[in-house]
């Protein structure tokens, strides 16, 4: 079982930046991929960015060129970050961290990101 805790959300003006952090604990050695998802009110949860254990990254088209997923090289399976630049009001959502370990997915509690226009 993997436990995830997100942090770094908040209120920011359009064009601003935020960095989200995801701290993983528990059965981290078998984590294959860590992802960031987001869910806005009335919308389905959607994939924002993902990074595999080999460091391969993937992004939603809506955030390419603005968001960057990375990990702590000293602790690649315990800390993952999402750097969000040039934020837009449509980026407003609760952001969740997800880890897949032995084909089982775990979720954090989420962190609110609000972008004002």
């Amino acid at each position: 079982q993997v436990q995830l805790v997100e942090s770094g959300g908040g209120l920011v003006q359009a064009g601003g930046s935020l960095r989200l952090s995801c701290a993983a604990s528990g059965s981290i050695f078998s984590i294959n991929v860590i992802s960031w998802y987001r869910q806005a009110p009335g919308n389905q949860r959607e994939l924002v960015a993902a990074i595999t254990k080999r460091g391969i990254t993937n992004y939603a088209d809506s955030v390419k060129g603005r968001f960057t997923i990375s990990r702590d090289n000293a602790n690649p399976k315990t800390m993952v970050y999402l750097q969000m630049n040039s934020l837009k009001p449509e980026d407003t959502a609760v952001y969740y961290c997800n880890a897949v370990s032995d084909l089982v997915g775990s979720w954090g509690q989420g962190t609110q990101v609000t972008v004002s226009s």
Side-chain angles (χ1 to χ4, degrees):
Q1 190 77 4
V2 176
Q3 293 80 44
L4 303 168
V5 178
E6 303 97 334
S7 60
L11 173 64
V12 64
Q13 289 188 334
S17 300
L18 282 174
R19 189 176 84 154
L20 305 183
S21 299
C22 174
S25 61
S27 302
I28 62 171
F29 297 104
S30 55
I31 291 177
N32 294 311
V33 59
I34 295 181
S35 306
W36 285 97
Y37 286 74
R38 67 186 180 188
Q39 187 168 18
N43 290 356
Q44 290 187 334
R45 194 170 296 189
E46 62 175 359
L47 177 67
V48 175
I51 186 166
T52 72
K53 63 181 180 180
R54 297 183 186 275
I56 298 171
T57 58
N58 184 46
Y59 297 92
D61 288 342
S62 59
V63 306
K64 281 181 181 176
R66 300 189 299 122
F67 291 11
T68 302
I69 189 170
S70 64
R71 56 191 186 183
D72 184 335
N73 288 330
N75 300 286
K77 289 192 174 183
T78 59
M79 290 298 297
V80 173
Y81 306 100
L82 184 68
Q83 178 66 44
M84 305 186 295
N85 298 328
S86 302
L87 283 161
K88 304 175 181 180
E90 51 263 44
D91 294 319
T92 295
V94 178
Y95 284 70
Y96 297 90
C97 186
N98 173 274
V100 177
S101 173
D102 292 334
L103 302 181
V104 176
S106 300
W107 294 93
Q109 82 288 349
T111 185
Q112 176 71 47
V113 171
T114 302
V115 184
S116 63
S117 57

